[in-house]
Amino acid sequence: MARKGGLSPSGLVLYDKPAGPSSFAIVRDLRERTGARAGHAGTLDPFATGLLLVLLGSFTKEAQRFVGLPKRYETAVDLSAVTSTGDPEGEIVEEHDPPSLADLEGGLDALRGEVDLRIPAASAVKIGGERAYKLHRRGVAVEMPMRRTTVYELDLLGYEEPVARLSMRLSSGGYVRAIAEALGGHCVSLRRTDVGPFDLDDADPGRIIPPEEALSTLDQ
């Protein structure tokens, strides 16, 4: 095996992340298994599942070409409660009656296109030089900044009160949890199905896509 942190093997791994481990844990596992340096092109929360792009070896220098890709998600949102983290790991901070179908559809209409959404408190954004989620864990209250997000698609797949099933395609840096909070709820499940032209159906943790193939797919 090549020394850990080496430049080979080089390429892209499409990984179907399970619920539980962090994105860093997945990257660490691949680094240990291959001996190559490794990095992901967009994190997933521990509770979330789905497509994680991991670059290996010398291909990590191309990371910025993948980080900015739009991403597609499917999520279930409980519209009867808001949590401190926007997901099931946080504490309930507000409870209310779920919206009617008509009100929900109106809320979805307002979130399509260019929107300003508040970044969730339990995120990796740095506040005063420290990760927001670390501040949140210590109980430090901070005013989270807004972020402009492009919501290319936002579709209602089904609604059985209080849970709405949604499919969405967001610009890089967009937070599904922020969409859930804007609707007055929190994510109870979250799965990333696409990153740019890369599809979850093609995920295979044992296959390293050669750099030239990965870049040609990127340019399609």
Side-chain angles (χ1 to χ4, degrees):
M1 178 181 289
R3 66 180 178 84
K4 187 183 296 186
L7 297 180
S8 64
S10 177
L12 177 69
V13 176
L14 305 184
Y15 200 109
D16 185 356
K17 177 193 163 310
S22 67
S23 297
F24 178 74
I26 301 298
V27 169
R28 184 177 58 216
D29 175 66
L30 284 171
R31 184 169 62 236
E32 291 175 349
R33 283 200 282 126
T34 64
R37 68 173 58 164
H40 64 70
T43 189
L44 279 170
D45 294 319
F47 87 98
T49 69
L51 187 58
L52 188 70
L53 269 56
V54 181
L55 289 78
L56 296 177
S58 60
F59 198 54
T60 55
K61 68 179 184 296
E62 302 289 349
Q64 286 304 312
R65 299 186 62 176
F66 295 84
V67 169
L69 296 173
K71 300 169 179 67
R72 186 183 300 276
Y73 303 88
E74 291 186 1
T75 183
V77 178
D78 183 340
L79 295 170
S80 68
V82 176
T83 69
S84 59
T85 57
D87 59 43
E89 298 179 350
E91 297 180 355
I92 294 177
V93 296
E94 178 187 332
E95 292 184 280
H96 47 250
D97 292 332
S100 66
L101 177 59
D103 286 343
L104 172 57
E105 290 176 335
L108 294 173
D109 285 341
L111 290 170
R112 296 186 180 103
E114 297 281 337
V115 292
D116 291 317
L117 298 169
R118 192 169 302 281
I119 297 173
S123 67
V125 170
K126 286 188 175 181
I127 304 294
E130 189 169 0
R131 300 291 184 185
Y133 67 83
K134 293 184 177 180
L135 295 170
H136 177 77
R137 288 172 182 170
R138 296 206 309 272
V140 178
V142 296
E143 182 71 14
M144 295 301 294
M146 306 291 284
R147 174 178 288 177
R148 176 62 58 90
T149 300
T150 303
V151 182
Y152 299 105
E153 300 173 29
L154 180 56
D155 299 313
L156 179 63
L157 302 179
Y159 186 33
E160 296 183 11
E161 293 186 14
V163 177
R165 293 186 299 107
L166 305 174
S167 173
M168 63 187 73
R169 184 168 176 265
L170 308 178
S171 59
S172 176
Y175 287 92
V176 179
R177 288 177 294 147
I179 296 284
E181 290 181 357
L183 291 170
H186 68 279
C187 294
V188 293
S189 68
L190 175 61
R191 186 160 178 79
R192 186 156 68 196
T193 60
D194 298 88
V195 178
F198 300 97
D199 192 282
L200 181 61
D201 290 340
D202 297 321
D204 180 354
R207 181 185 179 224
I208 301 174
I209 300 172
E212 60 275 11
E213 180 180 341
L215 291 175
S216 65
T217 301
L218 187 63
D219 293 334
Q220 289 177 4

